[in-house]
Amino acid sequence: MPTMADVARSAGVSVATVSHVLNETRPVLPHTRQAVLDAIEELGYTPNTLARSLVTSRTRSIGLAVSAISNPYFTEILQGVEAAALERGYSLLIADPHDDPEHERKVVQLLHERRVDGMIVAPSADPRGLLAYLGRHAVPAVLLDRVIDGHADIAPLFDQVCAENTEPTARLVTHLAALGHRRIGLVAGLPGLSTTAERVNGYRQGLASAGLPLDESLVVPGNSESAGAERATAALMSLAAPPTALVTANNAMTIGALRALRAQGLAVPDDIALCCFDDFAWADLFSPRLTAVAQPSKEIGAEAVRVLLERLASPDRPVRTVRLPCTFVHRTSCGCREREGEDGAAGQDRSAPSRLRSEEIRPARSRQQSARSQRVPQPKRSGHPEHPEHPEKGTP
């Protein structure tokens, strides 16, 4: 097996220069660096990462702790993290905290004991133990998706990367209001998560912007999972004056809501309109196709890696929160007709969130304009939403 000394002799440089090229510990002239890389390729040299970590105190590894890894949203985040890490020569260690605060602290400790250089973590609804551990051990970390601005009293501040939540949710509400809906229900996420609070706030802002009153009975937690959303939707539809439109706050809760509506024989959008936060690859395969807010999940993962590596390079730099914009994907579950010439991509509006002009809205049936304050019509037995296999637990 070739050694670093063999590489140095082949490239005509010192062992120290080879080390600098491998560990990026000192600038090396481009032609010298290329000579070293050519020698490594020719000899088939494989660096001893364990020995290198003993010298540099770095393992070139990143710990990633996110719950519901099987969910399409977090799967795409993971893909973004992995691609960005590998591009920069870092390996990835992954753990699932299961959204349980005690288990979260344990898996973060295990990743820390593996001597990862830094961590990317999506905090649970009660992140105090996690944040206390990261702060006590001075672990370089980036908080992903769920921010802790509301927990500044219980933990030191960390860099954070997430999507915009408030304005995109308001966009869904104002879109439904422009269609004539006056009772718009929200199937909210797990209480305690920042994403839940921000999307509920966006829902309220959307109502205010549309001049609609807030009815707290129309906001029911679905706990960020399919089964919880099914119960929440059933509760909403059992109200004396049920909603004529629903906003679901993540992809798995959209599935639960559709199940509950199907169980009651209600068709989307003929009996009730539906918009969802979170787009996913098969949302376009539903009947009707789902109007949604799409999060830039892969970009969120890649940005988290970039922010973490900048933190490793400059430990004393000010902390920051990076929010990435979302995309409004206009399809037909909201009650709008298919627009001529659209394909499966379905009317993506990449402009900044804003209230749609009235001439852009074409309700699927005139009945929607005249019966918004009345009870939903009697259940139908046709036109039920159809959907393929799906995750049971969704994004936060």
Side-chain angles (χ1 to χ4, degrees), residues 150-192:
H151 296 278
D153 58 325
I154 63 173
L157 291 175
F158 294 90
D159 295 314
Q160 305 179 113
V161 177
C162 60
E164 291 284 356
N165 288 293
T166 303
E167 197 170 20
T169 307
R171 174 74 181 273
L172 295 178
V173 174
T174 56
H175 177 63
L176 291 168
L179 287 170
H181 292 278
R182 295 297 175 262
R183 289 186 62 77
I184 302 170
L186 174 67
V187 180
L190 183 68

Side-chain angles (χ1 to χ4, degrees), residues 6-281:
D6 296 329
V7 173
R9 280 194 294 271
S10 177
V13 299
S14 67
V15 172
T17 298
V18 175
S19 176
H20 290 312
V21 171
L22 291 173
N23 299 315
E24 298 180 354
T25 49
R26 195 188 70 184
V28 177
L29 291 173
H31 70 275
T32 303
R33 176 183 175 80
Q34 190 58 51
V36 171
L37 295 177
D38 290 344
I40 289 173
E41 179 68 22
E42 180 182 348
L43 296 174
Y45 171 72
T46 301
N48 186 328
T49 55
L50 179 60
R52 183 169 63 186
S53 68
L54 293 174
V55 174
T56 63
S57 298
R58 292 283 182 90
T59 60
R60 297 193 73 80
S61 62
I62 294 171
L64 175 66
V66 295
S67 299
I69 293 175
S70 63
N71 180 272
Y73 171 71
F74 278 122
T75 299
E76 290 192 0
I77 282 184
L78 190 155
Q79 291 171 351
V81 170
E82 182 181 42
L86 289 176
E87 182 181 350
R88 293 161 176 80
Y90 281 77
S91 60
L92 197 62
L93 278 69
I94 305 170
D96 187 342
H98 301 296
D99 270 330
D100 176 79
E102 181 59 27
H103 189 63
E104 174 181 67
R105 194 201 63 77
K106 288 180 180 177
V107 299
V108 164
Q109 180 177 341
L110 287 173
L111 290 172
H112 185 219
E113 291 172 354
R114 292 294 186 94
R115 296 295 185 264
V116 294
D117 293 339
M119 293 190 204
I120 298 172
V121 185
S124 67
D126 182 4
R128 288 174 294 183
L130 161 73
L131 301 173
Y133 183 90
L134 294 175
R136 183 166 61 252
H137 295 279
V139 179
V142 172
L143 303 184
L144 181 76
D145 186 64
R146 306 158 177 179
V147 299
I148 59 165
D149 293 347
H151 296 278
D153 58 325
I154 63 173
L157 291 175
F158 294 90
D159 295 314
Q160 305 179 113
V161 177
C162 60
E164 291 284 356
N165 288 293
T166 303
E167 197 170 20
T169 307
R171 174 74 181 273
L172 295 178
V173 174
T174 56
H175 177 63
L176 291 168
L179 287 170
H181 292 278
R182 295 297 175 262
R183 289 186 62 77
I184 302 170
L186 174 67
V187 180
L190 183 68
L193 296 180
S194 65
T195 47
T196 298
E198 290 174 1
R199 291 170 197 174
V200 170
N201 188 38
Y203 166 81
R204 290 172 174 165
Q205 288 186 16
L207 291 177
S209 178
L212 298 178
L214 172 65
D215 182 346
E216 293 291 353
S217 70
L218 291 176
V219 181
V220 181
N223 296 328
S224 300
E225 61 182 7
S226 178
E230 192 169 354
R231 293 189 295 269
T233 302
L236 284 167
M237 301 314 298
S238 68
L239 294 173
T244 62
L246 287 180
V247 173
T248 52
N250 77 8
N251 53 11
M253 290 193 292
T254 300
I255 304 299
L258 288 170
R259 279 180 172 171
L261 296 174
R262 181 175 64 182
Q264 296 191 28
L266 299 176
V268 177
D270 296 340
D271 299 320
I272 183 166
L274 177 70
C275 290
C276 53
F277 200 105
D278 270 346
D279 198 26
F280 34 91

